[in-house]
Structures are given as structure tokens and as C-alpha cells.
Amino acid sequence: MKRLANLKRLGFFTRLLDEAPPADRYRFAAEQIVRAETAGLDSAWIAQHHFHEREGGLPSPFTFLGYVAAQTSRIRLGTGIVTLPLENAVRVAEDAAVLDLLCNGRFELGVGTGGNPSAFAAFGLDSAQRNEIFARNLDVVRTALVGKPLEGGDTLYPQRPQLDDRIWQATFSVAGGARAGKAGDGLLLSRTQPRTKEAPKATLAEIQNPVIDAYLEALPPGREPRIMASRTVFVADDRTEAMRLADIGLRRALPQFLKGGHAKPGETLEEMIAAFDTHVGAADDVIASLRADATLERVTDLVFQAHSVDAPHPHILRSIELVAEKVAPALGWARTAPDVALAG
């Protein structure tokens, strides 16, 4: 039976895409994270998106995670990601430090270049400069967290040098993997990526394994790898019900999927599932599907999300339970003791 030998931790990820008003979206997401903690998961992650309701609709991740921190006690809380070029780097360090103190050291800081080009325009920035802005802002965040003087001479209060060892970088590219590795940061891999015109039928593993290779090659000697793969996973008690909900959700998500640079899939549900890199069905279906994903043999962290299926809230709660009870143990994950953490 194929197990994921390197898998150490299991997480839940939400982009807050419930078909509901914003207040309900935030409440549902908090309830899902609480359910994930109850189910024994190790971490929960949320994405930041400015302006665009169909992409996620959560512009303030630190505020939201502070709310969730008050309702949880063990599960680690992460950003996947903060769109760092659109943020004031000193404020990111301040918010991260305060949040980490409030949740007793449970925070994981995931950052990336991300962002819709129109969002950059709204912030008075040029999206073509996102990479250089990201690099500059990340340097400032690190400087602040470890207590080194900032421009003008001030130092961060409260300082939180521990967080420098809990930074994760998201990337689609080999160069980004090398950048994260050289910094000694964690590597965040996406649930799906657009295929190139040269390789339209490439598997996700064929795209992401070179990124992992570059990350590991650049990682400083003695630095423990942290490789997280996000995957779309939706499990139901009944396969027919899972497929019914997947058909609704994937077709609803198709316009946004195409805007993201993906090729148009075929019309059948099976073709949609393949195009969206989705793992869906009853527990046995999803176990088999995840075992076929060669990338996962190399990751330390598997984080699952219901997007793009985006089933109604009660079904997501049940999916979280089924992943923890049936799917993840079959892949080699074991529920950890309450005091085990990702990092110090």
C-alpha cells in the first residue's frame, strides 16, 4: 500500500468562497477551521485576496486569524498567502508578531508575489514590478522580525525572531523554488497550475517536481526542508453525491479558472476534474487519486481545500472529517499530540 513517506503534517485551506454574504463566509470559514482542529489536523491556512469576491474576498488575513485564534487552542494558523507587494512590510511584521503572541506561537507566515494586475493598480503599483517589490518587502519583514534597526533607526515592538523560521514562499516557478530554498524558507506549492502551450497535457507533478528540485538544491546545508502542497480534495460519504456537487462547483468556477490562464477543458465532468487537478469522490476514490500524484511523495505537508468544488458549508465540514478519519491515515499521516508544532 503506497504511503507518503515524507508526510509529517496535514492541513486545511480555505479561500472563503462559500456562496454566501461576506459575514457568513467569515463565520463558515472559522467554523471549518474549528472543525479541522477537532478532527486533529495540524494546520489551517487562509488566502488573502483584495477586491475580487470570486477569488476569495478576504483582504485582512491577520484580523481574521486573530478571530480564529480566539476559538482554537492547538491548530497552527497560516497565511497562504499574504500578497506581500501590496502590503506595507513593517505593518506585516507588526501584525504577524502580535498575532503570533496572541495565538501562543501558532502562526505560520506564508507570502507570495500574487495579486490580480488590477489590484496592483488600485494600490498605485505596477504589477510588472511585483517581483522586485516582493524581494524588497520580504527583506524588511525579516529585518523587523529579528529586531534589527529599520530605516530611521527604529526597531520592531514586539519583536518576534522565531517567526523568521516560519516564513513560507509560494511560487509557480523553478526560480521561485530556488529563491525560497536559498532563504531557508518553506516552499508553498499550488493546488493547480496552468499548463504551457509546449506541454498542455503535463501532469501537476511534472510541473512541480522541478520546483522542488530547485528548492532542495538551494537549501542551506543542515536546513530542514519544509515543502507544502495544496490540493483540491472533496470527500463525501457517497461517491454519487460527491460527483453531483463537483459538477455544480467546477462548472461555476470555470470562468475564473479560464481567467487564470488555464486552457478550456472538455465538457464532461471527468475532463473538468482532470483539468482542475481535483481529487473528489468517496474516501477510497480520493485515496487512490492522491496516491497517483507523484509530487506528494516528496512533501512534508499536505494541505487540502474544497476549492474549486466549493460545496455548501455542511458538506465541507463533513469532508474535513472524512479526510482526517479515512483519507489521510491511508496515506501515512498520523494525528499528532497536542503540543507538537511545525516550528519553535
Side-chain angles (χ1 to χ4, degrees):
M1 183 173 63
K2 186 176 180 181
R3 297 162 73 86
L4 306 182
N6 295 316
L7 181 62
K8 296 180 175 66
R9 294 166 292 264
L10 179 71
F12 171 71
F13 187 104
T14 177
R15 287 180 61 170
L16 282 73
L17 284 164
D18 300 87
E19 292 291 310
D24 288 336
R25 278 185 167 189
Y26 301 152
R27 178 172 57 85
F28 290 161
E31 290 176 4
Q32 290 162 13
I33 293 172
V34 170
R35 182 66 58 90
E37 177 172 86
T38 302
L41 270 63
D42 303 297
S43 65
W45 300 74
I46 52 95
Q48 178 186 46
H49 288 94
H50 294 284
F51 309 120
H52 303 109
E53 176 186 353
R54 296 303 307 175
E55 291 185 7
L58 179 63
S60 304
F62 296 106
T63 301
F64 176 77
L65 288 179
Y67 171 70
V68 172
Q71 301 178 56
T72 56
S73 61
R74 183 193 62 82
I75 197 166
R76 302 193 68 77
L77 304 172
T79 53
I81 56 168
V82 171
T83 307
L84 197 55
L86 300 182
E87 301 296 320
N88 180 290
V90 176
R91 290 291 296 120
V92 168
E94 289 177 331
D95 284 345
V98 171
L99 174 59
D100 196 50
L101 285 167
L102 290 174
C103 70
N104 296 317
R106 290 187 283 138
F107 180 55
E108 304 285 328
L109 178 58
V111 296
T113 58
N116 190 297
S118 64
F120 278 77
F123 279 82
L125 298 170
D126 182 354
S127 66
Q129 297 178 339
R130 66 177 64 197
N131 288 323
E132 66 179 75
I133 300 172
F134 172 85
R136 183 168 63 246
N137 283 0
L138 184 54
D139 283 344
V140 173
V141 169
R142 291 189 194 282
T143 298
L145 288 173
V146 301
K148 293 179 180 178
L150 298 162
E151 188 173 343
D154 282 327
T155 55
L156 195 72
Y157 179 86
Q159 292 170 15
R160 198 64 174 162
Q162 301 96 318
L163 270 173
D164 187 41
D165 291 325
R166 284 186 253 137
I167 293 174
W168 300 72
Q169 295 191 39
T171 185
F172 274 11
S173 70
V174 169
R179 180 189 65 211
K182 184 178 180 181
D185 293 336
L187 176 67
L188 295 176
L189 299 172
S190 178
R191 65 190 171 83
T192 185
Q193 289 185 220
R195 273 50 170 181
T196 64
K197 292 180 180 179
E198 295 74 24
K201 299 296 185 181
T203 66
L204 193 55
E206 288 170 338
I207 297 171
Q208 294 187 336
N209 271 324
V211 180
I212 295 176
D213 291 339
Y215 170 77
L216 293 173
E217 185 175 344
L219 202 66
R223 187 73 167 178
E224 189 74 19
R226 290 177 291 140
I227 304 170
M228 178 180 293
S230 176
R231 290 296 183 263
T232 295
V233 174
F234 178 71
V235 191
D237 289 288
D238 177 75
R239 184 180 189 277
T240 301
E241 179 71 352
M243 293 302 176
R244 182 185 73 82
L245 292 167
D247 192 64
I248 295 170
L250 295 180
R251 295 187 191 281
R252 184 176 59 216
L254 184 57
Q256 198 66 39
F257 181 76
L258 298 178
K259 284 183 182 179
H262 296 265
K264 186 176 182 180
E267 293 295 325
T268 69
L269 177 57
E270 289 72 21
E271 289 170 319
M272 299 271 288
I273 288 170
F276 277 80
D277 294 305
T278 298
H279 306 270
V280 60
D284 287 346
D285 301 313
V286 173
I287 291 167
S289 180
L290 288 170
R291 281 179 178 155
D293 185 340
T295 309
L296 301 185
E297 299 172 17
R298 308 178 70 188
V299 305
T300 59
D301 297 72
L302 172 60
V303 176
F304 65 93
Q305 56 179 296
H307 182 65
S308 294
V309 174
D310 296 317
H313 176 56
H315 295 278
I316 294 178
L317 293 176
R318 181 57 179 153
S319 182
I320 292 168
E321 294 174 343
L322 289 169
V323 170
E325 292 169 7
K326 297 184 178 182
V327 175
L331 300 175
W333 173 75
R335 181 170 177 164
T336 54
D339 59 347
V340 173
L342 284 175

